[in-house]
Amino acid sequence: MSSTWREFMSWNKYTQVASRALRQALTETDRVAAEKRAAIGVRYQLWENGQGGEQKYVVPQAEPKSAGTPPV
Amino acid sequence: MFASRLSSSLRALPRQASAVRMARRGYAEAAGADGKLQLSLVLPHQSLYSSAGVIQVNLPAATGDMGVLANHVASVEALRAGVVEVIEENGQAGKKWFVSSGFATVHGNNTLTINAVEAYPLDNFSAENIRSGLADANRVLSSSAPESEKAEARIEVEVFEGLQAALAK
């Protein structure tokens, strides 16, 4: 079947979907390690007059992060 | 030495260009004393091969399966979900990894770089998880979900079916 994904998404998104599916197929121990590696969070912060504003996640994280734990 | 391709035609180097290139710098120098293909197979979190000399690499390109030997013509290939097999020494069985997606670039100087997002040896997969993942994806396909979700499900079906085929061998 010719790839119809090109109508709906970029190659990056295609890769993320395929990688997510692959991680689900791993054995339990490998899957837990892989999911931890795969989690991506992007934060941004607006600066005005030399002052940084509030740091916000692009996609809000589910569980609250404790203060002082840098994202890996 | 050129690898054979199941689909896609081979790009031929023009004779004059190769004669000029040979005068300036021969491929034999690029290959090194042992004449092996220099492979770099890298993931975001790990480097499986880092300019290691190998004999042959089999790739699941989106345009069809292909094999790369030393001194392959330069080309860029997007990969689909499939098995990358690396044969390090003549006569040895190839080492296999199942790759989710990525790019393979053969540079003109006998170097092959494969960038993949996820790649694991075939032993790391569970047949049960593959089967349940495939069932979930097929369920989305047969439901009345929007076409974009079905496109994602089709990608997942491709990954799981490729895994089943690779594990069955």
Side-chain angles (χ1 to χ4, degrees):
Chain A
M1 177 157 191
S2 66
S3 52
T4 54
W5 59 265
R6 286 187 191 273
E7 299 172 44
F8 299 103
M9 59 185 88
S10 65
W11 185 86
N12 276 333
K13 182 95 193 288
Y14 161 77
T15 304
Q16 291 299 316
V17 171
S19 304
R20 189 184 63 202
L22 194 73
R23 282 189 287 272
Q24 286 170 6
L26 290 168
T27 50
E28 278 313 301
T29 39
D30 295 315
R31 197 176 57 81
V32 168
E35 301 271 350
K36 240 186 279 179
R37 265 200 303 261
I40 299 175
V42 179
R43 282 196 297 190
Y44 69 94
Q45 180 185 37
L46 290 172
W47 284 72
E48 264 177 75
N49 298 321
Q51 297 295 315
E54 181 204 345
Q55 286 194 356
K56 292 183 232 174
Y57 277 92
V58 172
V59 176
Q61 303 284 297
E63 63 270 83
K65 300 261 183 218
S66 60
T69 6
V72 173
Chain B
M1 268 196 291
F2 293 100
S4 58
R5 301 277 292 272
L6 294 176
S7 51
S8 294
S9 54
L10 201 57
R11 264 180 280 138
L13 287 174
R15 282 179 175 252
Q16 287 171 332
S18 76
V20 171
R21 199 173 295 150
M22 284 311 215
R24 279 201 235 121
R25 184 188 173 191
Y27 280 134
E29 294 170 37
D34 54 2
K36 284 185 172 181
L37 174 70
Q38 302 297 309
L39 169 67
S40 293
L41 174 48
V42 291
L43 313 174
H45 52 269
Q46 189 190 1
S47 177
L48 295 172
Y49 286 90
S50 205
S51 285
V54 300
I55 303 290
Q56 181 179 343
V57 181
N58 294 327
L59 303 168
T63 50
D65 292 339
M66 61 184 284
V68 178
L69 298 170
N71 298 320
H72 194 279
V73 66
S75 66
V76 177
E77 296 284 344
L79 301 178
R80 62 172 201 276
V83 174
V84 167
E85 186 180 359
V86 177
I87 300 171
E88 293 176 6
E89 299 285 340
N90 268 318
Q92 254 183 24
K95 294 192 183 165
K96 297 186 185 178
W97 286 269
F98 195 90
V99 158
S100 65
S101 178
F103 265 90
T105 312
V106 187
H107 309 280
N109 55 356
N110 197 34
T111 318
L112 168 60
T113 307
I114 304 177
N115 296 301
V117 179
E118 301 275 11
Y120 298 97
L122 298 180
D123 293 332
N124 289 26
F125 293 99
S126 136
E128 187 48 51
N129 287 349
I130 299 172
R131 223 173 304 134
S132 62
L134 187 54
D136 288 340
N138 277 323
R139 202 177 321 125
V140 172
L141 275 180
S142 56
S143 74
S144 54
E147 274 307 308
S148 55
E149 283 185 29
K150 288 197 178 180
E152 288 191 20
R154 256 180 230 115
I155 299 170
E156 295 180 356
V157 165
E158 195 192 322
V159 171
F160 291 125
E161 288 185 346
L163 265 170
Q164 284 186 330
L167 290 177
K169 284 198 194 145

